[in-house]
Amino acid sequence: MVARLQTLSATVLTVFGLSLAESDRQGFLQDLYNGRVSKSHVELVLAQHDEDIAWSNPLKSVRTVYCKGGSSCDADAIVLPNVGREGQTFLHHIVNNYDRLSDWTVFSQAAAPTEGYYGHKHGGGHLLSGSSIDDYLAHHHETKGQDDSFFLMSSKVHLATLQHALRSSFKVSDGAKVPQISHAAAVCPKEQGSKEVEDVWGDYHNMPMLKSFLEKKCGVEASALSAAMLSFWEDFVQLPLPENEVVYYAQGARFAVSRERLQQRSKAYYQ
């Protein structure tokens, strides 16, 4: 009888254009936005300076805001010294909540999660085209806890040269035509193809502004940057170098990870 009812439900949902998986996702998100999911199950951690976080107010019941903007910080924000950017904020959260981490934590910069990135102060909230913040929030539930992290990689860097390449579904100018991805596309795209209709990696480019920034921040001459990057990987990442020394990453420092994955490393490691 139960199997027949499940088959009937699946048939009805399909008629109305929803799969059982999509219906389950929508039900979970509805519970989340209506405050029926506890912060011990899902937590949204925002690293704020002075960005408008009104977009996240519907998620206030699971939201934790760390603010480094001094007098611009909201009353319910946890105020931190303005050092270390979002990386320091995320580490602060992990260290100070190590024994009570949420089942699933979404880490993000505090600006509204909108499509692409057009440059500093020029717009774009670092989302791949076709994705949304809901993909990060719901992924652990959708995979029944089988996935221990969720990254939508938008860029890659060759450690030896610091050359960067962007994913074609990552919009870098207003009005640009880019392919749309499915919310399930937590995989890297093809290496080659039509950049306007397929989700592929673009060509590598030099990033002189990045090298100049790293020189000033790290006190390292440009000629020594590659060696410094490789040394950082060895000292802090403590994993074998990736194939061809290419690292894939998500622009905007937005990702989601399970408690179990975070606790694979000791508290002392994050400190």
Side-chain angles (χ1 to χ4, degrees):
M1 177 62 74
V2 172
R4 291 176 62 186
L5 287 173
Q6 289 175 334
T7 301
L8 178 60
S9 297
T11 303
V12 171
L13 288 168
T14 301
V15 168
F16 285 97
L18 290 175
S19 67
L20 278 173
E22 184 63 25
S23 176
D24 181 61
R25 168 188 164 93
Q26 290 187 9
F28 171 77
L29 289 170
Q30 186 176 35
D31 286 343
L32 183 66
Y33 279 89
N34 287 330
R36 295 192 291 267
V37 176
S38 72
K39 190 182 280 189
S40 65
H41 182 50
V42 175
E43 184 170 14
L44 174 63
V45 172
L46 298 182
Q48 182 192 29
H49 181 252
D50 58 2
E51 301 90 342
D52 183 358
I53 60 170
W55 65 270
S56 66
N57 286 343
L59 294 161
K60 202 167 185 177
S61 64
V62 296
R63 184 184 69 185
T64 299
V65 180
Y66 294 96
C67 180
K68 297 181 177 180
S71 60
S72 66
C73 298
D74 291 343
D76 62 346
I78 299 170
V79 180
L80 298 177
N82 189 20
V83 295
R85 296 181 61 87
E86 69 276 351
Q88 187 274 340
T89 298
F90 298 160
L91 288 171
H92 175 93
H93 177 82
I94 294 168
V95 168
N96 285 275
N97 296 278
Y98 188 82
D99 295 318
R100 56 179 185 275
L101 290 164
S102 176
D103 294 341
W104 185 248
T105 304
V106 179
F107 294 93
S108 180
Q109 293 178 347
T114 56
E115 189 178 55
Y117 182 64
Y118 313 144
H120 185 57
K121 301 293 186 182
H122 293 288
H126 298 285
L127 284 174
L128 290 178
S129 297
S131 67
S132 73
I133 191 67
D134 290 348
D135 300 331
Y136 296 82
L137 293 165
H139 188 77
H140 195 242
H141 175 82
E142 288 183 283
T143 63
K144 310 302 181 188
Q146 294 301 304
D147 282 0
D148 60 11
S149 62
F150 183 75
F151 289 76
L152 287 177
M153 305 301 190
S154 55
S155 307
K156 61 179 179 177
V157 57
H158 181 227
L159 291 177
T161 62
L162 293 186
Q163 288 189 328
H164 282 65
L166 292 174
R167 192 169 176 167
S168 61
S169 54
F170 189 68
K171 184 181 286 188
V172 294
S173 62
D174 192 19
K177 183 180 179 181
V178 298
Q180 301 284 304
I181 68 162
S182 143
H183 73 263
V187 294
C188 286
K190 297 188 299 184
E191 290 295 329
Q192 294 181 328
S194 172
K195 294 181 178 63
E196 289 191 351
V197 297
E198 294 183 273
D199 189 24
V200 298
W201 286 114
D203 299 326
Y204 280 103
H205 295 281
N206 286 314
M207 301 287 288
M209 289 183 64
L210 173 65
K211 290 183 178 180
S212 176
F213 174 81
L214 290 174
E215 281 184 89
K216 294 177 182 178
K217 284 289 184 180
C218 303
V220 178
E221 295 291 331
S223 59
L225 280 174
S226 295
M229 292 289 286
L230 293 171
S231 177
F232 178 89
W233 184 279
E234 180 178 341
D235 293 342
F236 296 102
V237 180
Q238 299 174 5
L239 291 172
L241 280 170
E243 185 178 357
N244 299 320
E245 297 182 354
V246 174
V247 174
Y248 299 85
Y249 67 97
Q251 283 206 29
R254 182 178 297 115
F255 59 97
V257 63
S258 71
R259 178 181 63 250
E260 290 79 11
R261 182 61 180 268
L262 287 171
Q263 291 179 342
Q264 285 180 9
R265 303 268 194 169
S266 68
K267 183 177 179 179
Y269 172 81
Y270 296 108
Q271 292 172 316

